[in-house]
Amino acid sequence: MDITASQIESIVRSVISSMGGTAPRAHGPIPTTAHVAMLTDTKKIEVKELPIPPLGDDDILIKVEGAGICGTDVHEWKSDPFGLIPVVLGHEGTGEVVAVGKNVKVDTAGKPLKVGDKIVTSVISCGECYACRMVPGRTNLCDNQGVFGLIGDKRGEAEGNRVNGWFADYMVIKGGLGATYFQVNELDLKQRMILELACVCVHALERGQKTGLLNFGSKVLVQGCGPVGLVMITVLRAAGINHIIAVDGNEDRLKVAQKMGAKTTICFRRPDEDTLDKRVAKVKAVANGVGVDFAYQCTGAPVAAADIYSYIRRGGGMCEMGFFVNNGEYQVNPHFAMCNKEIDIVGSWDYSAEDYPKTVAFLKQCREMNIPIEDLITHSFPLDKMNEAMETNVAQAGIKICYINEN
């Protein structure tokens, strides 16, 4: 006997009711399965159909609209450094709320949340470790931190939810487990897909600001013009930094850096900038003859990370934000690089949920200042082309690569 979707929904609602719960709010039939791009082996993503678990009173079902592909997604696809396989990746996603449990009334910031709203997810914190208890404003340091679609929603999976990554047509937020999420109706799709990456950079801006070295007169260098570095340039420009120096080896990306707000560009493949000494001389020529006030190290290359100290003036500072995975070590002489210059060094590790509202404000500021941050999205792929999307990212054929749900 064939069973219709509405009959299935009726059965699910009946089961939930018999368990003492309340049927979720929705504007139409609730889907029972989701198509996901599951990483089943290194360099092997397969589209699978998985059951959508019945929604509890604190849960949210989202129809995915799109998701950015992060460098950490690519690292996981290439070699599984986090040991997550099998996993549904995608943590830079956004979509539309299609069903909510009875307890879901507002988002993490207290804004009303209902069916039809646009939504993004943030970190999942345990609430139990030292960082969560003693420094609750820095939940990015949670010892057991999770992120939907990356360092997984382990407790949600324990309850039978594998539809918890954004590389899918539907995903489920299991509420009441430390999950954080935000209603972002005021942003368009491209802005929403770039929000998580921008949040990384907004957090890094605040880490740099704690040194007291960032102001309207600061000369600031950004090393590495991949997606992180380019968004870092937009964040600095929106924050009022008027002279940004961009360093990379790709002329096309340096042109984009100028478009985003960089005033000076340095390419280590140009004959007059192909050694560290030449590059340092160029930096000093535009930075008061002494070097930059502050630098952001945005590459994942140890050799580049070793260079960054040479660009910084005595009494300056730097923020290391390029190593979200273990890409190796580098050698530096601490006497010349740090002590003799007395520089301030800060690290930056992803973001806290508290950074999301500030990042929404940053994206609105980009609109006001006509900074075309959406132009960083250069390629999009459907669900069944995610291996090709990863290859495009590895080849650096574009800047920001995204998944778009075409259904």
Side-chain angles (χ1 to χ4, degrees):
M1 179 179 68
D2 293 334
I3 301 177
T4 66
S6 60
Q7 288 173 320
I8 291 172
E9 181 187 4
S10 178
I11 293 169
V12 171
R13 289 173 184 268
S14 177
V15 170
I16 292 174
S17 179
S18 69
M19 295 170 64
T22 302
R25 303 190 304 276
H27 284 168
I30 299 174
T32 58
T33 63
H35 295 90
V36 304
M38 180 173 281
L39 182 66
T40 58
D41 202 348
T42 54
K43 297 186 178 181
K44 186 178 182 181
I45 294 176
E46 299 178 85
V47 176
K48 294 184 176 291
E49 188 172 12
L50 299 181
I52 295 175
L55 297 187
D57 292 343
D58 300 302
D59 300 345
I60 304 171
L61 177 64
I62 303 163
K63 182 174 183 180
V64 178
E65 293 179 312
I69 296 175
C70 179
T72 47
D73 294 321
V74 178
H75 282 293
E76 180 61 20
W77 175 78
K78 285 167 60 179
S79 60
D80 191 27
F82 303 112
L84 301 177
I85 292 175
V87 64
V88 180
L89 293 172
H91 60 280
E92 297 183 353
T94 184
E96 182 174 311
V97 175
V98 296
V100 293
K102 71 169 186 177
N103 294 337
V104 180
K105 302 287 197 310
V106 297
D107 70 1
T108 301
K111 291 172 64 176
L113 184 68
K114 64 185 184 304
V115 173
D117 283 339
K118 306 302 184 182
I119 192 171
V120 295
T121 51
S122 184
V123 291
I124 306 166
S125 304
C126 75
E128 300 167 356
C129 70
Y130 181 88
C132 285
R133 288 184 293 107
M134 302 304 292
V135 282
R138 298 180 71 181
T139 51
N140 60 313
L141 301 180
C142 171
D143 289 335
N144 307 300
Q145 185 190 66
V147 180
F148 287 98
L150 186 61
I151 306 170
D153 172 21
K154 300 298 185 185
R155 287 175 287 182
E157 289 178 7
E159 294 187 3
N161 180 33
R162 292 305 303 270
V163 188
N164 60 356
W166 285 100
F167 295 163
D169 57 4
Y170 288 92
M171 75 162 288
V172 173
I173 297 175
K174 300 295 288 185
L177 299 174
T180 54
Y181 44 85
F182 296 88
Q183 181 254 87
V184 285
N185 293 344
E186 63 266 57
L187 303 180
D188 63 31
L189 177 57
K190 285 188 174 181
Q191 290 172 324
R192 286 184 274 131
M193 287 193 297
I194 215 163
L195 173 58
E196 193 270 353
L197 170 57
C199 200
V200 169
C201 297
V202 167
H203 183 80
L205 174 70
E206 291 202 342
R207 294 290 293 148
Q209 286 172 330
K210 291 184 183 301
T211 67
L213 292 164
L214 294 176
N215 56 62
F216 292 114
S218 301
K219 306 289 194 304
V220 180
L221 182 141
V222 175
Q223 180 167 257
C225 292
V228 172
L230 290 170
V231 174
M232 194 67 234
I233 288 170
T234 68
V235 169
L236 289 165
R237 187 69 194 92
I241 302 300
N242 293 311
H243 197 139
I244 302 166
I245 303 163
V247 179
D248 200 86
N250 185 312
E251 292 283 10
D252 289 336
R253 290 193 169 187
L254 287 169
K255 289 177 183 176
V256 177
Q258 286 183 305
K259 191 176 180 181
M260 294 300 124
K263 184 171 289 187
T264 301
T265 64
I266 295 174
C267 181
F268 58 75
R269 289 192 171 90
R270 295 172 187 161
D272 60 339
E273 297 167 358
D274 59 2
T275 68
L276 180 59
D277 287 343
K278 292 177 183 177
R279 293 192 295 277
V280 170
K282 178 72 174 289
V283 169
K284 287 183 176 181
V286 297
N288 304 317
V290 292
V292 295
D293 302 293
F294 202 84
Y296 280 91
Q297 205 300 110
C298 301
T299 78
V303 64
D307 288 352
I308 195 76
Y309 303 92
S310 299
Y311 301 123
I312 303 167
R313 67 168 172 81
R314 297 187 76 186
M318 62 90 70
C319 176
E320 174 57 68
M321 57 181 300
F323 290 86
F324 289 108
V325 296
N326 182 3
N327 280 343
E329 301 174 355
Y330 62 86
Q331 197 169 27
V332 66
N333 186 318
H335 169 72
F336 292 109
M338 305 168 196
C339 294
N340 180 264
K341 288 185 174 182
E342 198 173 87
I343 64 172
D344 291 333
I345 302 174
V346 295
S348 187
W349 179 250
D350 57 38
Y351 47 80
S352 297
E354 291 83 357
D355 293 311
Y356 262 65
K358 289 174 280 189
T359 304
V360 171
F362 154 70
L363 290 168
K364 292 178 180 178
Q365 182 71 0
C366 284
R367 283 183 194 163
E368 294 292 325
M369 296 179 66
N370 295 315
I371 300 173
I373 191 170
E374 298 95 335
D375 291 355
L376 297 179
I377 296 176
T378 56
H379 294 70
S380 63
F381 292 84
L383 201 63
D384 60 352
K385 300 290 186 183
M386 292 305 293
N387 288 298
E388 184 179 341
M390 296 292 179
E391 294 282 7
T392 302
N393 200 309
V394 170
Q396 296 186 0
I399 297 174
K400 191 63 184 171
I401 316 299
C402 291
Y403 152 60
I404 297 290
N405 184 5
E406 297 182 339
N407 298 321

